[in-house]
Amino acid sequence: MENFLAFEVTQAENVFSRGIVRKQSDSLKKDHVRVQVEYSDINYKDALAATKNGGVVRDYPKVIGIDLAGTIIESNTHSWTTGQKVLITGYGLGISNDGGFSQVQDVPAEWLVEVPQNFSTKEAMKFGTAGFTAALAVRALEKEDPEKNAPILVTGATGGVGNTAIALLHQLGYTNITAMSSKKTQADWLTGLGASDIQAPAEILPEKKSPLGKQKFAAVIDTVGGNILAGLLPLIQYGGCAILCGNASGITLDTTVLPFILRSIKMIGIDSVQIEMTQRKQIWQFLAEHKTILEKLSYQEVELTDLEETIESLLNGTHTGRTIIDMGVSK
């Protein structure tokens, strides 16, 4: 039996706790593999999972972490062999099953994606669910075929999904990208990623919302939802689209049907959790082919034993860029 460290949350009799625990591997289940986790990353969803009544974890105790990447060290299926480099994002990882904040994790074989060639486990987790979601949103926008100089807005621009979307759009040749962010201190960084303009919500949204406003954007990649999204829908150009991939500002949407029936706009939802495997592999290959954007993205690296500060910054809205977690097993 192998001993390893993991970050676990537990709640019993209304008492919530989180922190590092030492665990031991059990016998490997059929059609499962055992992964030595080299890197994970931390998302807003993970921060919620690390919070009492966060609405993410389904039962306790639970090792959280919705992403992982590492090497197979044991396999109980013919589909995978030891030594293969693999990654997982989504499914029930860190939600219904123990997750990626662990030096070793047993996972269903059907969840695995082989790490693309010329792509490391560390690079995969620099993207993680945030990068995967951004790529899904950008690919959805490409299907709508806007002109390369069409005005595109990305909300939540300093978050992991937003800044990755901006960098991908820029690399794909889009030249008129507005980054919505209240963090004007990050303006130079966002411009370096490819944003042509940085505006706070108050600079874009009218003081008085109306069913139809001035047509400003051909497409919106929205990572925040709530009142921000409701205010943006009337500003989308005829035949444009809103691509939805986050709800940091709320899950309710107070709007009218007029932008949809009078301007023929589309609202496209992005799911990064249960997306089918063929497209999942395509997206990871797409990210591997565009990994040079990682040189521009902001990220920090922490140890498994030092997650508290990142969790709090995500919950407080002060976190910028991406944070990856070195499990300390690959050195």
Side-chain angles (χ1 to χ4, degrees), residues 73-140:
I73 55 176
E74 187 178 347
S75 174
N76 200 357
T77 174
H78 297 298
S79 304
W80 298 93
T81 60
T82 57
Q84 286 183 279
K85 296 289 187 180
V86 294
L87 65 89
I88 300 176
T89 60
Y91 295 113
L93 193 71
I95 307 300
S96 57
N97 287 45
D98 282 339
F101 292 1
S102 180
Q103 293 176 326
V104 174
Q105 195 54 267
D106 294 356
V107 294
E110 63 184 357
W111 291 0
L112 294 175
V113 174
E114 188 169 13
V115 174
Q117 289 187 345
N118 302 316
F119 198 49
S120 68
T121 54
K122 184 175 184 177
E123 288 169 331
M125 290 297 95
K126 284 184 179 180
F127 282 121
T129 284
F132 185 73
T133 303
L136 284 167
V138 168
R139 293 290 290 267

Side-chain angles (χ1 to χ4, degrees), residues 135-155:
L136 284 167
V138 168
R139 293 290 290 267
L141 183 145
E142 283 193 292
K143 288 182 180 179
E144 298 303 307
D145 198 27
E147 298 291 334
K148 292 297 186 181
N149 64 349
I152 298 169
L153 176 70
V154 179
T155 70

Side-chain angles (χ1 to χ4, degrees), residues 153 155 180 201 204-214 216-217 220 222 224-236 252-256 259 263:
L153 176 70
T155 70
M180 179 186 277
I204 296 174
L205 300 173
E207 291 185 15
K208 184 178 180 181
K209 188 176 73 172
S210 60
L212 292 174
K214 183 179 180 181
K216 292 184 176 182
F217 305 106
V220 173
D222 178 60
V224 297
N227 290 333
I228 296 290
L229 174 60
L232 290 173
L233 292 176
L235 308 183
I236 296 175
T252 59
L253 186 60
D254 180 14
T255 189
T256 75
R263 289 187 178 162

Side-chain angles (χ1 to χ4, degrees), residues 40-43 122-123 125-128 130-131 156-168 183 185-194 291-302 310 313-314 318-325:
S40 183
D41 60 81
I42 183 164
N43 302 277
K122 184 175 184 177
E123 288 169 331
M125 290 297 95
K126 284 184 179 180
F127 282 121
T158 59
V161 177
N163 62 58
T164 305
I166 291 169
L168 285 171
K183 299 175 182 177
T185 56
Q186 302 296 319
D188 289 344
W189 172 58
L190 291 170
T191 301
L193 293 180
K291 70 176 186 177
T292 54
I293 70 169
L294 290 173
E295 299 170 4
K296 297 181 179 180
L297 297 178
S298 171
Y299 73 92
Q300 59 179 326
E301 187 171 325
V302 299
T310 304
S313 67
L314 279 163
T318 57
H319 188 262
T320 299
R322 300 274 294 141
T323 295
I324 62 172
I325 306 167

